[in-house]
Amino acid sequence: MRSGASTGCSINGVAYPGQALDYHCFANPLADDDYNWTYVRNVSTGVEGWIRHDLLSDHGSKVRCR
């Protein structure tokens, strides 16, 4: 989980398999990494941050961030 929608952003926390994530929305990449990102809250820890879609088993949120 990162502070922004880029691998260059700092790490906020980790989401482990089996932990529930509350999806908020998705955004296109801030950097040239060709990945979309979903903003999530880890229900187990309360930590919020961005996770790349390819790292989520269901490919993330379907709602675009405004």
Side-chain angles (χ1 to χ4, degrees):
M1 297 173 66
R2 296 189 177 266
S3 62
S6 169
T7 56
C9 294
S10 62
I11 296 172
N12 288 357
V14 178
Y16 293 103
Q19 289 182 320
L21 300 175
D22 180 23
Y23 292 0
H24 292 275
C25 60
F26 81 91
N28 294 326
L30 297 178
D32 294 330
D33 61 11
D34 294 331
Y35 293 101
N36 287 326
W37 294 74
T38 288
Y39 190 78
V40 304
R41 181 179 64 85
N42 185 323
V43 176
S44 300
T45 65
V47 175
E48 296 183 10
W50 294 90
I51 299 179
R52 259 181 20 195
H53 279 193
D54 66 316
L55 300 175
L56 297 167
S57 62
D58 60 359
H59 305 292
S61 176
K62 308 301 184 235
V63 177
R64 184 177 297 276
C65 298
R66 294 180 185 247

